[in-house]
Amino acid sequence: MYDNGNGKQYFGVVSTENYNPAIEMMRFFTAFGINKFNNLQLKDKTWQTISPYRQDITELKPSLSEKELWVGAFIGNYDKGGHKVSLEITIHKSDQNIHKNNTVIPLFNSLNIMEMAGQDYSTMFSQDKGLFVEFTLKKELKNAQLRYITTGHGGWENGDEFVPKANSIFLDGKMAFSFVPWRSDCGSYRLYNPASGNFGDGLSSSDLSRSNWCPGTVTNPNFIPLGDLKAGKHTIQIKIPQGPTEGTSFSSWNVSGVLLGNE
């Protein structure tokens, strides 16, 4: 349980001595009505019939190799017909050697993957404390990186899904990285979104720029260099100026982070 002082309790989010949060292999977003609503006719639009998502996850190899794994897919919307997802993990015997890490340490994952069991939305950034994680390294970790995935959601037009917000990452109390996660290329994927809402200004909902995601696409992780970390206790803190609740509308941020490096 994580408590940031806003009166809510967030379960399953941060690592402890006895718990590791789920490692996020890949974050992708379902398109708006692909295939099911391909019967809708719009001028000069020929809809795609399938949404493929593909991503290189070689940096997670140390946590995947020679292990028995449970792989889950979380889809955060409701349709009585459900969704069909097919998954393939392909191993290529490649000479490329981009990711040299031999260690993967899960630190946090705020996505409410157990929503149906009562896990709350990730609104902990309403307080300045944000998300705070303590972890202990048994050995020195060289060339450490934080594999960080972030997307902002909710709040309608005034919410964080549609308002750029800085994500700041602090290591041991000092800012290590800060950036504004934002996607302005969502209109490139209009043909994957036949049931997207259309507005009077000529735009469709799927066209709108968003906080690091577009309907029908993958959200790429950020690799944040942290240098060499000594053995012992450390802290990671994520701060985001989350927008206020407006009536029944609220903002939330789904963030996940794993620590990469060499022991």
Side-chain angles (χ1 to χ4, degrees):
M1 189 274 290
Y2 176 71
D3 187 345
N4 74 336
N6 69 354
K8 292 186 176 183
Q9 295 179 334
Y10 301 93
F11 292 92
V13 173
V14 299
S15 65
T16 68
E17 290 183 3
N18 303 312
Y19 174 76
N20 286 330
I23 293 177
E24 184 170 19
M25 299 170 66
M26 178 181 184
R27 186 176 301 186
F28 64 91
F29 290 87
T30 51
F32 293 168
I34 191 172
N35 203 12
K36 183 173 181 179
F37 293 98
N38 277 17
N39 60 314
L40 300 177
Q41 299 296 317
L42 289 180
K43 184 180 179 181
D44 299 326
K45 301 294 184 186
T46 302
W47 307 119
Q48 299 287 338
T49 58
I50 190 172
S51 289
Y53 309 93
R54 185 179 176 93
Q55 185 175 325
D56 179 1
I57 57 169
T58 306
E59 69 276 5
L60 299 179
K61 183 173 65 174
S63 65
L64 303 176
S65 300
E66 299 181 355
K67 293 180 175 64
E68 181 176 314
L69 305 169
W70 287 91
V71 179
F74 173 80
I75 302 177
N77 59 31
Y78 301 98
D79 181 278
K80 64 182 179 181
H83 293 77
K84 293 181 179 180
V85 178
S86 61
L87 167 68
E88 292 183 3
I89 298 178
T90 306
I91 301 173
H92 298 273
K93 294 184 178 181
S94 173
D95 293 330
Q96 289 190 341
N97 194 20
I98 298 172
H99 300 286
K100 302 177 182 179
N101 60 294
N102 63 12
T103 304
V104 175
I105 302 172
L107 295 179
F108 55 87
N109 189 340
S110 73
L111 176 62
N112 53 326
I113 56 178
M114 293 296 290
E115 179 179 0
M116 301 308 291
Q119 188 178 14
D120 205 351
Y121 285 84
S122 48
T123 57
M124 69 280 293
F125 300 102
S126 61
Q127 299 290 103
D128 184 62
K129 180 181 178 181
L131 184 61
F132 186 85
V133 186
E134 297 178 309
F135 62 97
T136 301
L137 296 178
K138 296 180 179 179
K139 298 180 181 179
E140 179 183 5
L141 194 66
K142 294 186 177 181
N143 300 315
Q145 290 181 307
L146 179 67
R147 182 186 188 263
Y148 179 69
I149 305 177
T150 177
T151 49
H153 301 274
W156 302 110
E157 67 270 11
N158 295 319
D160 289 3
E161 182 170 321
F162 302 107
V163 178
K165 295 290 181 71
N167 284 221
S168 299
I169 294 93
F170 295 81
L171 173 66
D172 296 332
K174 297 181 180 179
M175 184 183 291
F177 191 69
S178 184
F179 74 113
V180 177
W182 192 246
R183 287 284 294 271
S184 56
D185 61 331
C186 295
S188 300
Y189 307 97
R190 181 68 180 93
L191 295 182
Y192 290 91
N193 296 279
S196 183
N198 296 307
F199 304 118
D201 57 9
L203 285 173
S204 294
S205 176
S206 64
D207 295 334
L208 300 179
S209 299
R210 285 176 164 84
S211 289
N212 214 31
W213 66 277
C214 297
T217 67
V218 172
T219 290
N220 293 318
N222 292 85
F223 294 90
I224 300 169
L226 301 177
D228 297 338
L229 301 181
K230 294 181 179 179
K233 293 185 177 181
H234 297 273
T235 63
I236 286 275
Q237 186 177 23
I238 312 297
K239 290 188 177 185
I240 305 170
Q242 180 180 302
T245 298
E246 296 180 333
T248 58
S249 176
F250 64 93
S251 298
S252 63
W253 283 84
N254 293 330
V255 299
S256 71
V258 298
L259 193 60
L260 310 176
N262 288 284
E263 289 186 344

Coordinates of all heavy atoms in Angstrom, one line a residue, residues 134-214:
E134 N 11.3 3.7 -2.2 CA 12.6 3.4 -1.6 C 13.0 2.0 -2.0 O 12.2 1.1 -2.1 CB 12.5 3.4 -0.1 CG 12.2 4.8 0.5 CD 12.0 4.8 2.0 OE1 11.3 3.9 2.5 OE2 12.7 5.6 2.7
F135 N 14.3 1.8 -2.4 CA 14.8 0.5 -2.8 C 16.2 0.3 -2.3 O 16.9 1.3 -2.1 CB 14.7 0.3 -4.3 CG 15.5 1.3 -5.1 CD1 16.8 0.9 -5.6 CD2 15.0 2.6 -5.4 CE1 17.5 1.8 -6.4 CE2 15.8 3.4 -6.2 CZ 17.0 3.1 -6.7
T136 N 16.6 -0.9 -2.2 CA 18.0 -1.2 -1.7 C 18.7 -2.1 -2.7 O 18.2 -3.1 -3.2 CB 17.9 -2.0 -0.4 OG1 17.2 -1.2 0.6 CG2 19.3 -2.3 0.1
L137 N 19.9 -1.7 -3.1 CA 20.7 -2.4 -4.0 C 21.7 -3.3 -3.2 O 22.4 -2.8 -2.3 CB 21.5 -1.5 -4.9 CG 20.7 -0.6 -5.9 CD1 21.7 0.3 -6.7 CD2 19.9 -1.5 -6.8
K138 N 21.7 -4.6 -3.5 CA 22.6 -5.5 -2.8 C 24.1 -5.3 -3.3 O 25.0 -5.6 -2.6 CB 22.2 -6.9 -2.9 CG 20.8 -7.2 -2.3 CD 20.4 -8.6 -2.4 CE 19.1 -8.9 -1.8 NZ 18.6 -10.3 -1.9
K139 N 24.2 -4.9 -4.6 CA 25.5 -4.7 -5.2 C 25.5 -3.4 -5.9 O 24.4 -2.8 -6.2 CB 25.8 -5.8 -6.3 CG 25.8 -7.2 -5.7 CD 26.1 -8.3 -6.8 CE 26.2 -9.7 -6.2 NZ 26.4 -10.7 -7.3
E140 N 26.7 -2.9 -6.2 CA 26.8 -1.7 -7.1 C 26.2 -1.9 -8.4 O 26.3 -3.0 -9.0 CB 28.2 -1.3 -7.2 CG 28.4 0.0 -8.0 CD 29.9 0.4 -8.2 OE1 30.8 -0.4 -7.8 OE2 30.2 1.4 -8.8
L141 N 25.5 -0.9 -8.9 CA 24.9 -1.0 -10.3 C 25.5 0.0 -11.2 O 25.4 1.2 -11.0 CB 23.3 -0.8 -10.2 CG 22.5 -1.2 -11.4 CD1 22.5 -2.7 -11.6 CD2 21.1 -0.7 -11.2
K142 N 26.2 -0.5 -12.2 CA 26.9 0.4 -13.1 C 26.1 0.7 -14.3 O 25.2 -0.1 -14.8 CB 28.2 -0.3 -13.5 CG 29.2 -0.4 -12.4 CD 30.6 -0.9 -12.9 CE 31.6 -1.0 -11.7 NZ 32.9 -1.5 -12.2
N143 N 26.3 1.9 -14.9 CA 25.5 2.4 -16.0 C 24.0 2.2 -15.9 O 23.3 1.7 -16.7 CB 26.0 1.6 -17.3 CG 27.5 1.8 -17.6 OD1 28.0 2.9 -17.5 ND2 28.1 0.7 -17.9
A144 N 23.5 2.6 -14.7 CA 22.1 2.5 -14.4 C 21.3 3.4 -15.3 O 21.6 4.5 -15.6 CB 21.9 2.8 -12.9
Q145 N 20.1 2.8 -15.6 CA 19.1 3.6 -16.4 C 17.7 3.3 -15.8 O 17.5 2.2 -15.3 CB 19.1 3.2 -17.9 CG 20.2 3.6 -18.7 CD 20.1 3.1 -20.1 OE1 19.8 1.9 -20.4 NE2 20.2 4.0 -21.1
L146 N 16.8 4.3 -15.8 CA 15.4 4.1 -15.5 C 14.7 4.0 -16.8 O 14.6 4.9 -17.6 CB 14.9 5.3 -14.7 CG 13.4 5.2 -14.2 CD1 13.2 4.0 -13.3 CD2 12.9 6.5 -13.7
R147 N 14.1 2.8 -17.0 CA 13.2 2.6 -18.1 C 11.8 3.1 -17.7 O 11.1 2.4 -16.9 CB 13.1 1.1 -18.5 CG 12.2 0.8 -19.7 CD 12.2 -0.7 -19.9 NE 11.5 -1.1 -21.1 CZ 10.2 -1.5 -21.2 NH1 9.5 -1.5 -20.1 NH2 9.7 -1.9 -22.3
Y148 N 11.4 4.3 -18.2 CA 10.3 5.0 -17.6 C 9.2 5.2 -18.7 O 9.5 5.6 -19.8 CB 10.7 6.4 -17.2 CG 9.6 7.3 -16.6 CD1 9.0 7.0 -15.4 CD2 9.3 8.4 -17.3 CE1 8.0 7.8 -14.9 CE2 8.3 9.3 -16.8 CZ 7.7 9.0 -15.6 OH 6.8 9.8 -15.1
I149 N 8.0 4.7 -18.4 CA 6.9 4.9 -19.4 C 5.8 5.7 -18.7 O 5.4 5.5 -17.5 CB 6.3 3.5 -19.8 CG1 7.3 2.6 -20.4 CG2 5.1 3.7 -20.8 CD1 6.8 1.2 -20.7
T150 N 5.3 6.7 -19.4 CA 4.3 7.6 -18.8 C 3.3 8.0 -19.8 O 3.6 8.3 -21.0 CB 5.0 8.9 -18.2 OG1 4.0 9.8 -17.6 CG2 5.8 9.6 -19.2
T151 N 2.0 8.1 -19.3 CA 0.9 8.7 -20.1 C -0.1 9.3 -19.2 O -0.4 8.8 -18.1 CB 0.2 7.6 -21.0 OG1 -0.2 6.5 -20.1 CG2 1.0 7.1 -22.1
G152 N -0.6 10.5 -19.7 CA -1.6 11.2 -18.9 C -3.0 11.0 -19.4 O -3.2 10.8 -20.6
H153 N -4.0 10.9 -18.5 CA -5.3 10.5 -18.9 C -6.4 11.3 -18.2 O -6.2 11.8 -17.1 CB -5.6 9.0 -18.6 CG -4.6 8.1 -19.2 ND1 -4.8 7.6 -20.5 CD2 -3.4 7.6 -18.8 CE1 -3.8 6.9 -20.8 NE2 -2.9 6.9 -19.8
G154 N -7.6 11.4 -18.8 CA -8.8 11.9 -18.2 C -8.9 13.5 -18.1 O -8.0 14.2 -18.6
G155 N -10.0 13.9 -17.6 CA -10.2 15.3 -17.3 C -10.8 16.1 -18.5 O -11.0 17.3 -18.5
W156 N -11.3 15.3 -19.6 CA -11.8 16.0 -20.7 C -10.9 17.1 -21.2 O -9.7 16.9 -21.1 CB -13.2 16.5 -20.5 CG -14.2 15.4 -20.0 CD1 -14.7 15.2 -18.8 CD2 -14.6 14.3 -20.8 NE1 -15.5 14.1 -18.7 CE2 -15.4 13.5 -20.0 CE3 -14.5 13.9 -22.1 CZ2 -16.1 12.3 -20.4 CZ3 -15.1 12.7 -22.6 CH2 -15.9 12.0 -21.7
E157 N -11.4 18.2 -21.8 CA -10.5 19.1 -22.5 C -9.6 19.9 -21.5 O -8.6 20.4 -21.9 CB -11.4 20.1 -23.3 CG -12.2 21.1 -22.5 CD -13.6 20.5 -22.3 OE1 -13.8 19.3 -22.6 OE2 -14.5 21.2 -21.8
N158 N -10.0 20.0 -20.2 CA -9.2 20.7 -19.3 C -8.2 19.8 -18.5 O -7.5 20.2 -17.6 CB -10.0 21.5 -18.3 CG -10.8 22.6 -19.0 OD1 -10.3 23.3 -19.9 ND2 -12.1 22.7 -18.6
G159 N -8.3 18.5 -18.8 CA -7.5 17.5 -18.0 C -6.2 17.2 -18.5 O -5.8 17.7 -19.6
D160 N -5.4 16.4 -17.8 CA -4.0 16.2 -18.1 C -3.8 15.4 -19.4 O -2.7 15.4 -19.9 CB -3.3 15.5 -16.9 CG -3.1 16.4 -15.7 OD1 -3.6 17.6 -15.8 OD2 -2.6 16.0 -14.7
E161 N -4.9 14.7 -19.9 CA -4.8 14.0 -21.1 C -4.5 15.0 -22.3 O -3.8 14.6 -23.2 CB -6.0 13.2 -21.4 CG -6.0 12.4 -22.7 CD -7.2 11.4 -22.8 OE1 -7.6 10.9 -21.8 OE2 -7.7 11.3 -23.9
F162 N -5.0 16.2 -22.2 CA -4.9 17.2 -23.3 C -4.2 18.4 -22.9 O -4.2 19.4 -23.6 CB -6.3 17.6 -23.7 CG -7.2 16.4 -24.2 CD1 -8.2 15.9 -23.4 CD2 -6.9 15.7 -25.4 CE1 -8.9 14.8 -23.8 CE2 -7.6 14.7 -25.8 CZ -8.7 14.2 -25.0
V163 N -3.5 18.4 -21.7 CA -2.8 19.6 -21.2 C -1.3 19.1 -20.9 O -1.1 18.2 -20.1 CB -3.4 20.2 -19.9 CG1 -2.5 21.3 -19.4 CG2 -4.8 20.6 -20.2
P164 N -0.3 19.7 -21.6 CA 1.1 19.2 -21.4 C 1.5 19.5 -19.9 O 1.2 20.5 -19.4 CB 1.9 20.1 -22.3 CG 0.9 20.6 -23.4 CD -0.4 20.7 -22.7
K165 N 2.1 18.4 -19.3 CA 2.5 18.5 -17.9 C 3.9 17.9 -17.8 O 4.2 16.9 -18.4 CB 1.6 17.8 -17.0 CG 0.2 18.3 -16.9 CD 0.2 19.7 -16.1 CE -1.2 20.3 -16.0 NZ -2.1 19.5 -15.0
A166 N 4.8 18.6 -17.1 CA 6.2 18.1 -16.9 C 6.2 16.9 -16.0 O 5.5 16.9 -15.0 CB 7.1 19.2 -16.3
N167 N 7.0 15.9 -16.3 CA 7.3 14.8 -15.5 C 8.7 15.0 -15.0 O 9.7 15.1 -15.8 CB 7.2 13.5 -16.2 CG 5.8 13.0 -16.5 OD1 5.5 11.8 -16.4 ND2 4.9 13.9 -16.9
S168 N 8.9 15.0 -13.6 CA 10.2 15.2 -13.0 C 10.6 14.0 -12.2 O 9.8 13.6 -11.4 CB 10.3 16.5 -12.2 OG 10.0 17.7 -13.0
I169 N 11.8 13.5 -12.5 CA 12.3 12.3 -11.8 C 13.5 12.7 -10.9 O 14.4 13.3 -11.3 CB 12.7 11.2 -12.8 CG1 11.5 10.7 -13.6 CG2 13.4 10.1 -12.1 CD1 11.3 11.5 -14.9
F170 N 13.3 12.3 -9.6 CA 14.4 12.7 -8.6 C 15.0 11.4 -8.1 O 14.3 10.4 -7.7 CB 13.8 13.4 -7.4 CG 13.2 14.8 -7.8 CD1 11.9 14.9 -8.3 CD2 13.9 15.9 -7.5 CE1 11.4 16.1 -8.6 CE2 13.4 17.2 -7.8 CZ 12.1 17.3 -8.4
L171 N 16.3 11.3 -8.1 CA 17.1 10.2 -7.6 C 17.8 10.7 -6.3 O 18.6 11.7 -6.3 CB 18.1 9.7 -8.6 CG 19.1 8.7 -8.1 CD1 18.4 7.4 -7.8 CD2 20.2 8.5 -9.1
D172 N 17.5 10.0 -5.2 CA 18.1 10.4 -3.9 C 18.0 11.9 -3.6 O 18.9 12.5 -3.1 CB 19.6 9.9 -3.9 CG 19.7 8.4 -4.0 OD1 18.8 7.7 -3.6 OD2 20.8 8.0 -4.5
G173 N 16.8 12.4 -3.9 CA 16.5 13.8 -3.6 C 16.9 14.8 -4.6 O 16.6 16.0 -4.4
K174 N 17.7 14.4 -5.6 CA 18.2 15.4 -6.6 C 17.5 15.1 -8.0 O 17.4 13.9 -8.4 CB 19.7 15.3 -6.8 CG 20.4 15.7 -5.5 CD 21.9 15.6 -5.7 CE 22.7 16.0 -4.4 NZ 24.2 15.9 -4.6
M175 N 17.1 16.1 -8.7 CA 16.4 15.9 -10.0 C 17.4 15.3 -11.0 O 18.5 15.8 -11.2 CB 15.9 17.2 -10.6 CG 15.1 17.0 -11.9 SD 14.5 18.6 -12.6 CE 13.3 19.1 -11.4
A176 N 17.0 14.2 -11.5 CA 17.8 13.5 -12.5 C 17.4 13.8 -14.0 O 18.2 13.7 -14.9 CB 17.8 12.0 -12.3
F177 N 16.1 14.1 -14.1 CA 15.5 14.3 -15.5 C 14.2 14.9 -15.4 O 13.4 14.6 -14.4 CB 15.4 12.9 -16.2 CG 15.1 13.0 -17.7 CD1 16.1 13.5 -18.5 CD2 13.9 12.6 -18.2 CE1 15.8 13.6 -19.9 CE2 13.6 12.7 -19.5 CZ 14.6 13.2 -20.4
S178 N 13.8 15.8 -16.3 CA 12.5 16.4 -16.4 C 12.2 16.6 -17.8 O 13.0 17.1 -18.6 CB 12.5 17.7 -15.6 OG 11.1 18.2 -15.6
F179 N 10.9 16.3 -18.2 CA 10.5 16.5 -19.6 C 9.0 16.5 -19.7 O 8.3 16.2 -18.7 CB 11.0 15.4 -20.5 CG 10.3 14.0 -20.3 CD1 9.6 13.5 -21.4 CD2 10.5 13.3 -19.2 CE1 8.9 12.3 -21.2 CE2 9.8 12.1 -19.0 CZ 9.1 11.5 -20.0
V180 N 8.5 17.0 -20.8 CA 7.0 17.1 -21.0 C 6.7 16.0 -22.0 O 7.0 16.1 -23.2 CB 6.6 18.4 -21.5 CG1 5.1 18.4 -21.8 CG2 7.0 19.5 -20.5
P181 N 6.0 14.9 -21.6 CA 5.6 13.8 -22.5 C 4.4 14.2 -23.3 O 3.4 14.5 -22.7 CB 5.3 12.6 -21.5 CG 4.9 13.3 -20.2 CD 5.7 14.6 -20.2
W182 N 4.6 14.2 -24.6 CA 3.5 14.8 -25.5 C 3.6 14.1 -26.8 O 4.7 13.9 -27.4 CB 3.7 16.3 -25.6 CG 2.5 17.0 -26.2 CD1 2.5 17.7 -27.4 CD2 1.2 17.2 -25.6 NE1 1.3 18.3 -27.6 CE2 0.5 18.0 -26.5 CE3 0.6 16.8 -24.4 CZ2 -0.9 18.3 -26.3 CZ3 -0.7 17.1 -24.2 CH2 -1.4 17.9 -25.1
R183 N 2.4 13.8 -27.4 CA 2.4 13.3 -28.8 C 1.5 14.2 -29.6 O 0.4 14.5 -29.3 CB 1.7 11.9 -28.8 CG 2.5 10.8 -28.2 CD 3.6 10.3 -29.2 NE 3.1 9.7 -30.4 CZ 2.8 8.4 -30.5 NH1 3.0 7.6 -29.4 NH2 2.3 7.9 -31.6
S184 N 2.1 14.7 -30.7 CA 1.4 15.7 -31.6 C 1.2 15.1 -33.0 O 0.8 15.8 -33.9 CB 2.3 17.0 -31.7 OG 3.6 16.7 -32.2
D185 N 1.4 13.7 -33.1 CA 1.3 13.1 -34.4 C 0.1 12.2 -34.5 O 0.0 11.3 -35.4 CB 2.6 12.2 -34.6 CG 2.8 11.1 -33.6 OD1 2.4 11.3 -32.5 OD2 3.4 10.1 -33.9
C186 N -0.9 12.3 -33.6 CA -2.0 11.4 -33.5 C -2.8 11.4 -34.8 O -3.4 10.4 -35.2 CB -2.9 11.7 -32.3 SG -2.1 11.5 -30.7
G187 N -2.9 12.5 -35.5 CA -3.6 12.5 -36.8 C -3.1 11.6 -37.8 O -3.8 11.3 -38.8
S188 N -1.9 11.2 -37.7 CA -1.3 10.2 -38.6 C -2.0 8.9 -38.6 O -1.8 8.1 -39.6 CB 0.2 10.0 -38.3 OG 0.9 11.2 -38.4
Y189 N -2.8 8.6 -37.6 CA -3.4 7.3 -37.4 C -4.9 7.3 -37.5 O -5.6 6.4 -37.0 CB -2.9 6.7 -36.0 CG -1.4 6.7 -35.8 CD1 -0.8 7.8 -35.2 CD2 -0.6 5.7 -36.4 CE1 0.6 7.8 -35.0 CE2 0.8 5.8 -36.3 CZ 1.4 6.8 -35.6 OH 2.7 6.9 -35.5
R190 N -5.4 8.3 -38.2 CA -6.8 8.4 -38.4 C -7.5 7.2 -39.0 O -8.6 6.8 -38.6 CB -7.1 9.7 -39.2 CG -8.6 10.0 -39.4 CD -9.3 10.4 -38.1 NE -10.7 10.7 -38.3 CZ -11.7 9.8 -38.1 NH1 -11.4 8.5 -37.7 NH2 -12.9 10.1 -38.3
L191 N -6.8 6.5 -39.9 CA -7.4 5.4 -40.6 C -7.6 4.2 -39.7 O -8.2 3.2 -40.1 CB -6.6 5.0 -41.8 CG -6.6 6.1 -43.0 CD1 -5.9 5.6 -44.2 CD2 -8.1 6.5 -43.4
Y192 N -7.0 4.2 -38.5 CA -7.2 3.2 -37.5 C -8.3 3.5 -36.5 O -8.6 2.7 -35.6 CB -5.9 3.0 -36.7 CG -4.7 2.4 -37.4 CD1 -3.8 3.2 -38.1 CD2 -4.6 1.0 -37.5 CE1 -2.8 2.7 -38.8 CE2 -3.5 0.5 -38.2 CZ -2.6 1.3 -38.9 OH -1.6 0.7 -39.6
N193 N -9.0 4.6 -36.7 CA -10.0 5.1 -35.8 C -11.3 5.5 -36.4 O -11.7 6.7 -36.4 CB -9.4 6.3 -35.0 CG -8.2 5.9 -34.2 OD1 -8.3 5.4 -33.1 ND2 -7.0 6.2 -34.7
P194 N -12.1 4.6 -36.9 CA -13.3 4.9 -37.6 C -14.4 5.5 -36.7 O -15.2 6.3 -37.2 CB -13.8 3.6 -38.3 CG -13.1 2.5 -37.4 CD -11.8 3.1 -37.0
A195 N -14.4 5.1 -35.5 CA -15.5 5.5 -34.6 C -15.0 6.7 -33.7 O -15.7 7.0 -32.7 CB -15.9 4.4 -33.7
S196 N -14.0 7.4 -34.1 CA -13.6 8.6 -33.4 C -14.6 9.7 -33.4 O -15.2 9.9 -34.5 CB -12.2 9.1 -33.9 OG -11.7 10.1 -33.2
G197 N -14.8 10.4 -32.3 CA -15.8 11.5 -32.3 C -15.3 12.6 -33.3 O -14.2 13.0 -33.3
N198 N -16.3 13.2 -34.0 CA -16.0 14.3 -34.9 C -16.5 15.6 -34.4 O -17.6 15.6 -33.8 CB -16.6 14.0 -36.3 CG -16.1 12.7 -36.9 OD1 -14.9 12.6 -37.1 ND2 -16.9 11.8 -37.3
F199 N -15.7 16.6 -34.5 CA -16.0 17.9 -34.0 C -16.3 18.9 -35.1 O -15.9 18.7 -36.2 CB -14.9 18.4 -33.1 CG -14.5 17.5 -32.0 CD1 -13.2 16.9 -31.9 CD2 -15.4 17.1 -31.0 CE1 -12.9 16.0 -30.9 CE2 -15.1 16.2 -30.0 CZ -13.8 15.7 -30.0
G200 N -16.9 20.0 -34.7 CA -17.3 21.1 -35.6 C -16.2 21.8 -36.3 O -16.3 22.4 -37.4
D201 N -15.0 21.7 -35.7 CA -13.8 22.3 -36.3 C -13.1 21.5 -37.3 O -12.1 21.8 -37.9 CB -12.8 22.7 -35.2 CG -12.3 21.5 -34.4 OD1 -12.7 20.4 -34.7 OD2 -11.6 21.8 -33.4
G202 N -13.7 20.3 -37.6 CA -13.1 19.4 -38.6 C -12.2 18.3 -38.1 O -11.8 17.4 -38.8
L203 N -11.8 18.5 -36.8 CA -10.9 17.5 -36.2 C -11.8 16.3 -35.7 O -13.0 16.4 -35.4 CB -10.2 18.1 -35.0 CG -9.0 19.0 -35.4 CD1 -8.5 19.7 -34.1 CD2 -7.9 18.3 -36.1
S204 N -11.1 15.1 -35.6 CA -11.7 14.0 -34.9 C -11.0 13.8 -33.6 O -9.8 14.2 -33.4 CB -11.6 12.7 -35.8 OG -12.4 12.9 -36.9
S205 N -11.6 13.1 -32.6 CA -11.0 12.9 -31.3 C -9.7 12.2 -31.4 O -8.7 12.6 -30.7 CB -12.0 12.1 -30.5 OG -11.4 11.8 -29.2
S206 N -9.5 11.3 -32.3 CA -8.3 10.5 -32.4 C -7.1 11.4 -33.0 O -6.0 11.1 -32.9 CB -8.4 9.3 -33.3 OG -8.7 9.7 -34.6
D207 N -7.5 12.6 -33.6 CA -6.5 13.5 -34.1 C -5.8 14.3 -33.0 O -4.7 14.8 -33.2 CB -7.1 14.5 -35.1 CG -7.7 13.9 -36.3 OD1 -7.2 12.8 -36.7 OD2 -8.6 14.4 -36.9
L208 N -6.5 14.5 -31.9 CA -6.0 15.4 -30.9 C -4.7 15.0 -30.3 O -4.5 13.8 -30.0 CB -7.1 15.6 -29.8 CG -8.4 16.1 -30.3 CD1 -9.4 16.2 -29.1 CD2 -8.3 17.4 -31.0
S209 N -3.8 16.0 -30.1 CA -2.5 15.7 -29.4 C -2.8 15.3 -27.9 O -3.8 15.8 -27.3 CB -1.6 16.9 -29.4 OG -1.3 17.2 -30.8
R210 N -2.0 14.4 -27.4 CA -2.3 13.9 -26.1 C -1.0 13.8 -25.3 O 0.1 13.8 -25.8 CB -3.0 12.5 -26.2 CG -4.4 12.6 -26.5 CD -5.0 11.2 -26.7 NE -6.5 11.2 -26.7 CZ -7.2 11.4 -27.8 NH1 -6.6 11.6 -28.9 NH2 -8.5 11.4 -27.7
S211 N -1.1 13.5 -24.0 CA 0.0 13.3 -23.1 C 0.7 12.0 -23.3 O 0.5 11.0 -22.5 CB -0.4 13.5 -21.6 OG -0.8 14.9 -21.4
N212 N 1.4 11.9 -24.4 CA 2.3 10.8 -24.7 C 1.6 9.5 -25.2 O 2.2 8.5 -25.2 CB 3.2 10.4 -23.5 CG 4.6 10.0 -23.9 OD1 5.1 10.4 -24.9 ND2 5.2 9.1 -23.1
W213 N 0.4 9.7 -25.8 CA -0.2 8.5 -26.4 C -1.2 8.9 -27.5 O -1.7 10.1 -27.5 CB -0.9 7.6 -25.4 CG -2.1 8.2 -24.7 CD1 -2.1 9.0 -23.6 CD2 -3.5 8.0 -25.0 NE1 -3.4 9.4 -23.2 CE2 -4.3 8.7 -24.1 CE3 -4.2 7.3 -26.0 CZ2 -5.7 8.7 -24.1 CZ3 -5.6 7.3 -26.1 CH2 -6.3 8.0 -25.1
C214 N -1.4 8.0 -28.4 CA -2.3 8.2 -29.5 C -3.1 6.9 -29.7 O -2.6 5.8 -29.5 CB -1.7 8.5 -30.9 SG -0.7 10.0 -30.9

